[in-house]
Amino acid sequence: MRPLLHPCLVNGRSGDPALYIETLFERRAILFDLGDLSTVPPRKLQRVEHVFISHTHIDHFIGFDRLLRVHVGREKILKLYGPSGFIEQVHHKLQAYRWNLVDRYLNDLIFEVSEVRSAFEVRKAKFRLKNAFAVEDMGSTRLTDAKLCREATFQVVVALLEHRTPCLAFAVEEPVHVNIWKMGLPIGPWLRDLKRAVLENRSDDELIVVGVTPTVHRMPLGLLRKVVTVTAGQKIAYVTDAADTLANRDAIVALASNADLLFIEAAFAKADVQLAAERAHLTTDAAGRLAHTAGVRRVEPFHFSPRYSGQESCMLGEVMAAFAGGRQ
C-alpha cells in the first residue's frame, strides 16, 4: 500500500515544532504547528489548506507571519484550529499590520479560525483580507466524537491536554485507503478523481474521465472498481508539550491508539524526570511508554530540548528502549 499522507518534521527533532503532511497526488497539505517555516519553499506553503495549532507558545506559532506573507494576494481559504483564546490571538497577529491598501488586491485571502473551548464546544470566526481582517463571528458548534475536521480523504480528531495552558493533540486519519492497480491505465490527475469517486461511494453508472488530454475517454465507475482495492486508512498522531499526568496519558493513548505513526515530544532525558515535571513536558521514557501502550506501529520523537544538543542518538535510543519494553 502506497501511503496517501506523507509527513515531514520541518525542523528535525530539535528545532521548532512544525509537521508538514502532504497528500499524495493532490498537491494539498496540512500543518501541525507553526514553528519556524523559513526553510519551507513558498510553493509548498501554498499547498496548505488546514493548520492545526497545539498552543501558541512562540516556538509553535512564530511561523504564522511567513504563512500570511506567502498567501497575501492569493485567492485562498486557510482553515486554522487552536485552543481556547485562539481567535483573539490570530486577530492580534493580523492587526499588527496596516491593511489600508487592501482595495488594490484582486484576490481575497480568508482565514477561517476555530478554537476548541472544551471537549464539546468549538467557536468559529472569519478574517478576510478585503475586510482588513476584521473579526466576523461565525458562532459556535458542538464537537462530535472529537472530530475537529472532516474531508472526503481524511479527518482530524483532537484531544485536550494540559501544559499549564490548554494544549491540543491531533490525529489525522484516512477513512479508508484507495489503491489503484494501473493494469495498462494511463497515469495522470484523473486517478485522483477516480479515488475521490470511490471514497464518496458514487453510483456505478457515473462516468469517469480516463486519461489525459488529448487522448481521453469515459468509463463507468462500476467497471473501474475492478482495478481498485480499498483497505484500512492511514493514521498519524501528533502530540507535543504535555505534562506527564494520568489525565494526559489517558488522552494521548486514546488519541494515538493503533496509529501507524506517532509524532510525540520527548523534551527531556529519562534522568531529568524532575525537570520535565517542572516544565510540564514528557521525558524520552514517558514518550516511548505511551507509544507502546497506544499500540502504534512506529514512533517518531521530536521537540528535544536544546540542552541535549549533540545527544540526539542517545535521546532517540531512550525512546526506542521504552517503546520496545513498554515499561510502566
Side-chain angles (χ1 to χ4, degrees):
M1 180 184 79
R2 192 175 184 186
L4 174 71
L5 305 173
H6 287 250
C8 173
L9 282 169
V10 172
N11 300 304
R13 300 189 194 277
S14 300
D16 283 0
L19 181 67
Y20 184 93
I21 302 181
E22 194 160 19
T23 307
L24 191 65
F25 303 122
E26 296 194 0
R27 294 187 177 275
R28 302 168 66 206
I30 65 175
L31 270 167
F32 288 129
D33 275 338
L34 288 174
D36 180 9
L37 299 179
S38 60
T39 62
V40 183
R43 62 178 176 79
K44 298 195 77 171
L45 286 179
Q46 287 160 11
R47 296 174 186 172
V48 173
E49 296 180 355
H50 300 269
V51 181
F52 300 87
I53 303 296
S54 61
H55 63 303
T56 53
H57 283 167
I58 191 169
D59 54 335
H60 295 256
F61 200 43
I62 191 68
F64 178 85
D65 284 5
R66 176 161 169 77
L67 187 74
L68 172 64
R69 183 67 187 91
V70 165
H71 283 93
V72 165
R74 294 180 174 273
E75 192 74 26
K76 185 70 175 281
I77 297 176
L78 278 166
K79 297 184 179 182
L80 275 59
Y81 311 80
S84 182
F86 187 56
I87 290 173
E88 183 181 13
Q89 290 170 314
V90 171
H91 185 218
H92 284 309
K93 275 276 196 181
L94 293 168
Q95 292 307 313
Y97 299 99
R98 178 69 65 188
W99 301 108
N100 62 304
L101 302 178
V102 294
D103 59 305
R104 302 184 184 185
Y105 287 99
L106 296 177
N107 300 318
D108 202 5
L109 172 63
I110 299 172
F111 290 99
E112 292 184 0
V113 183
S114 300
E115 67 174 43
V116 181
R117 290 190 155 189
S118 70
F120 305 104
E121 182 190 4
V122 176
R123 182 188 166 207
K124 297 186 176 185
K126 181 186 295 184
F127 301 90
R128 295 184 298 118
L129 174 65
K130 291 288 190 178
N131 196 25
F133 292 124
V135 180
E136 300 177 35
D137 184 65
M138 298 173 66
S140 297
T141 60
R142 285 188 62 81
L143 198 60
T144 304
D145 297 328
K147 290 183 176 65
L148 186 58
C149 167
R150 184 179 296 178
E151 296 256 337
T153 54
F154 68 87
Q155 65 181 19
V156 176
V157 296
V158 63
L160 277 69
L161 305 179
E162 174 58 37
H163 179 56
R164 300 210 182 99
T165 186
C167 187
L168 305 181
F170 308 98
V172 56
E173 307 172 65
E174 292 177 273
V176 293
H177 182 81
V178 178
N179 193 54
I180 299 174
W181 304 98
K182 305 298 190 302
M183 298 180 65
L185 293 171
I187 296 174
W190 75 273
L191 294 171
R192 175 190 60 209
D193 299 329
L194 172 57
K195 288 188 175 186
R196 189 172 295 276
V198 172
L199 285 170
E200 295 175 358
N201 198 28
R202 297 181 197 167
S203 168
D204 284 350
D205 296 330
E206 179 168 338
L207 293 178
I208 304 296
V209 174
V210 176
V212 293
T213 305
T215 57
V216 299
H217 61 284
R218 296 175 183 271
M219 294 178 65
L221 177 57
L223 186 59
L224 288 169
R225 288 188 193 275
K226 297 177 181 178
V227 299
V228 173
T229 57
V230 180
T231 57
Q234 188 182 5
K235 178 178 178 179
I236 300 172
Y238 177 87
V239 177
T240 187
D241 290 49
D244 190 3
T245 65
L246 179 59
N248 275 355
R249 278 183 254 142
D250 288 345
I252 292 168
V253 169
L255 177 81
S257 179
N258 298 314
D260 297 284
L261 184 55
L262 168 62
F263 288 88
I264 186 168
E265 73 143 4
F268 292 92
K270 179 181 178 181
D272 293 326
V273 62
Q274 186 58 44
L275 185 57
E278 292 171 2
R279 306 284 177 85
H281 280 283
L282 298 176
T283 64
T284 51
D285 189 62
R289 287 188 286 109
L290 286 165
H292 177 93
T293 303
V296 307
R297 291 179 57 194
R298 193 172 112 215
V299 60
E300 289 289 349
F302 72 107
H303 208 7
F304 296 160
S305 168
R307 70 188 292 117
Y308 305 105
S309 177
Q311 302 177 52
E312 184 173 299
S313 61
C314 293
M315 297 286 283
L316 189 57
E318 289 187 358
V319 174
M320 296 308 170
F323 179 47
R327 296 185 303 279
Q328 293 297 321

